[in-house]
């Protein structure tokens, strides 16, 4: 199948390397953070670094800790406090990943071997708890109550978002607004906190803290929307990634919500049978993808993501020109225009 | 079956009401903490207070938050900071309970309807995360980095203890030392922290902080040992509680470790078949209880608990006479001499 949306080629070109560029700009910091991550996931209980290492090594992009490093440097910070806080952000993210993957016996497992498939639910939960506690220990070592407030609040909101998502799962009546509330809480809040604490360690005025919070929050929303689009994308299949995990799990994501709202009664019956009743038959995923295409649901979901990207872009307007500012702007394009 | 150990009757009498007495001494505070707990487990996501309420209502004793309140008052504290911290301790405890109950599909469930049986693994994990984050938010509102350090460290140690316990489960070669390390980490550390922060809010010298930490830690070890004894106790069965959960789950607790160390080769083969290989047959639990009795394993485990109780008792020696001091001493007897 062909790529569904054609993009301005030069823009795509620039965005392709955006994450690498940003990572390179904070390369030295990131090396220190990676060492810190490895050192601080140590424990005299061997299963902890073993399991944590499995997921942290697989984690890959390190987008959230990079955002903390970049935000601090953009704010002119030249100390080292941001290193521990960046590691702390990654630990919180890793803990939520571990807890995300805990499934009930009746649920499907993801494509790859998740930590809980390899080590069991209990170990995944407990190592997640350990990393979460370790994140708070790192913050305590830093000593800023402001940072602790921001990240403890973000953690509570993330958990609320995840629970809210459970209550929308297998419910094809979920509204776009409910979806946005889940995304904002479960994903965007940590992006926002990761960026915001960069301004906090740099002791910048609240206008800059707010600008970075706005950037992170909206980047995070865009990121999650695109992630949800990619789950149905033919391009993903071409790249050898699994397609349709969200569909099979009855997750209510934006593409599906748009298709349901725009669909006929017969189509809604199809979505109800599959998403609500988890009664799957041969060809259902292909039919779902066909409906998404027919209603331009993937394209329009990306358009929605672009809107949040635009808010993120404008938020950085108050910062003077700086290679990191440009890289943060490119990250928006990278996020929205990822291959799908 | 008869009670296995006969106790000095008057001592038992005094200990019976020890928890009620202590609770009454901090009754006003506890009312405030209970209100705080209910208010702060609120969320716009209804499943959160619903599930959290289920476990907090069932939680019962509130021993840990009471210890924080009592410790603060024993240290002469007359403010209100200890209320939030007491609620925070209970939230951490509740979060660990929720995460404890998450089981793999193949595992047995406990007697009563646990939260995960009613609401599913995912919801239990996520609401646990929420309560854990909420605990840190309460500490942040209090603003003491010392308290944050104590409780974030305790949380990390608890998680380590739980993971360590996983690695000793179904391993009949587990040593008494390994068992003690698990108990200290998963249970006693939170008792210690709960008591210690009472001295911290009262801004007492480190000698008192250390005394309360010692009290809590050793009380916690005694508490867990007795809990593990009760799981095999005939008296428990008489009270309508399930017996043998730990046995069926292959948990390596002190009574079993003592019986294995003292047993014949044939007995060790029995423990190996049941605990390691989870190959259970009719009459196995009764046979296990018989072996425990034959080797005085329950009685001697209680003796071990008494030792930790004695350390806890001496730790309070530096405090002047006070109704709360007496109640804390009585709690030791209550803990060690509970009906079994």
């Amino acid at each position: 199948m062909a790529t569904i949306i054609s993009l301005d080629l030069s823009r795509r070109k620039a965005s392709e390397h955006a994450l690498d560029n940003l990572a390179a700009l904070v390369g030295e910091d990131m090396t220190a953070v990676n060492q810190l991550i490895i050192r601080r996931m140590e424990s005299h209980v061997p299963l902890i670094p073993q399991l944590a290492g499995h997921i942290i090594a697989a984690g890959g992009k390190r987008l959230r800790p990079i955002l903390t490093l970049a935000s601090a440097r953009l704010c002119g910070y030249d100390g080292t406090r941001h290193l521990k806080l960046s590691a702390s952000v990654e630990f919180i993210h890793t803990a939520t990943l571990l807890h995300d993957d805990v499934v009930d016996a009746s649920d499907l497992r993801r494509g790859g071997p998740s930590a809980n498939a390899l080590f069991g639910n209990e170990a995944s939960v407990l190592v997640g708890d350990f990393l979460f506690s370790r994140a708070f220990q790192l913050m305590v070592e830093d000593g800023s109550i402001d940072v602790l407030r921001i990240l403890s609040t973000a953690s509570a909101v993330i958990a609320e978002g995840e629970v809210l998502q459970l209550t929308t799962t297998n419910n094809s009546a979920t509204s776009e607004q409910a979806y946005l509330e889940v995304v904002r809480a479960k994903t965007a809040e940590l992006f926002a906190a990761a960026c915001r604490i960069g301004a906090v360690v740099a002791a910048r005025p609240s206008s800059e803290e707010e600008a970075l919070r706005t950037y992170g929050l909206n980047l995070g929303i865009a990121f999650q929307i695109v992630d949800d689009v990619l789950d149905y994308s033919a391009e993903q299949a071409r790249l050898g990634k699994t397609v349709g995990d969200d569909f099979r799990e009855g997750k209510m994501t934006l593409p599906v919500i748009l298709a349901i709202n725009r669909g006929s009664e017969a189509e809604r019956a199809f979505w109800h049978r599959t998403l609500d009743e988890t009664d799957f038959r041969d060809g259902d995923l292909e039919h779902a993808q066909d409906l998404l295409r027919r209603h331009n649901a993937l394209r329009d979901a990306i358009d929605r993501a672009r809107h949040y990207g635009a808010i993120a872009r404008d938020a950085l307007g108050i910062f003077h020109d700086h290679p990191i500012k440009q890289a943060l702007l490119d990250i928006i394009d990278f996020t929205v225009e990822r291959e799908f």
Side-chain angles (χ1 to χ4, degrees), chain A residues 25 74 313 316 321-331:
Chain A
L25 286 169
L74 177 64
R313 175 174 306 279
L316 295 187
D321 283 346
H322 189 291
I324 286 185
K325 174 177 172 177
Q326 189 52 51
L328 288 172
L329 292 172
D330 291 344
I331 283 288

Side-chain angles (χ1 to χ4, degrees), chain A residues 164-183 250-261 275-276:
Chain A
L164 193 61
Q165 177 169 265
L166 283 185
T167 66
T168 67
T169 300
N170 300 122
N171 177 6
S172 64
T174 300
S175 68
E176 180 166 349
Q177 192 53 41
Y179 165 80
L180 284 172
E181 281 155 14
V182 167
V183 165
K251 283 230 180 91
M252 294 304 301
T253 61
L254 185 53
V256 164
I257 292 170
L258 293 177
I260 291 173
N261 287 343
L275 295 171
D276 298 42

Side-chain angles (χ1 to χ4, degrees), chain A residues 71-279:
Chain A
S71 298
R73 294 305 188 196
L74 177 64
C75 287
Y77 180 65
D78 63 359
T80 56
R81 284 179 52 201
H82 63 326
L83 302 178
K84 271 188 184 167
L85 300 179
S86 169
S88 178
V89 164
E90 183 68 358
F91 279 163
I92 291 175
H93 173 57
T94 309
T96 64
L97 283 185
L98 279 168
H99 288 182
D100 257 9
D101 273 349
V102 170
V103 292
D104 292 312
S106 58
D107 285 356
L108 296 160
R109 290 179 192 272
R110 311 228 156 198
S114 64
N116 76 313
L118 287 174
F119 301 94
N121 274 336
E122 288 169 297
S124 292
V125 170
L126 299 172
V127 173
D129 288 352
F130 173 80
L131 291 176
F132 200 52
S133 304
R134 193 43 54 95
F136 277 93
Q137 286 183 292
L138 285 164
M139 287 179 246
V140 166
E141 288 172 24
D142 174 67
S144 160
I145 280 285
D146 285 334
V147 169
L148 277 155
R149 181 180 302 112
I150 290 167
L151 283 174
S152 63
T153 302
S155 300
V157 171
I158 291 167
E160 280 180 309
E162 302 266 13
V163 177
L164 193 61
Q165 177 169 265
L166 283 185
T167 66
T168 67
T169 300
N170 300 122
N171 177 6
S172 64
T174 300
S175 68
E176 180 166 349
Q177 192 53 41
Y179 165 80
L180 284 172
E181 281 155 14
V182 167
V183 165
R184 185 190 155 129
K186 77 162 187 170
T187 305
E189 196 71 31
L190 188 58
F191 275 74
C195 293
R196 187 176 171 190
I197 58 179
V200 173
V201 291
R204 300 299 304 161
S206 66
S207 57
E208 292 188 15
E209 196 181 318
E210 269 301 289
L212 283 167
R213 186 175 78 84
T214 305
Y215 169 81
L217 192 77
N218 287 279
L219 178 69
I221 296 173
F223 179 89
Q224 187 60 58
I225 291 175
V226 175
D227 233 43
D228 292 342
V229 167
L230 289 175
D231 193 70
Y232 286 97
S233 142
E235 189 65 15
Q236 284 284 99
R238 207 182 56 77
L239 294 169
K241 296 185 187 167
T242 34
V243 170
D245 280 341
D246 291 345
F247 180 63
R248 282 179 293 266
E249 292 173 17
K251 283 230 180 91
M252 294 304 301
T253 61
L254 185 53
V256 164
I257 292 170
L258 293 177
I260 291 173
N261 287 343
R262 297 169 184 183
S264 65
E265 290 237 340
E267 289 173 23
R268 273 200 278 272
F270 164 79
W271 292 113
H272 180 74
R273 169 173 64 75
T274 50
L275 295 171
D276 298 42
E277 296 178 348
T278 63
D279 168 10

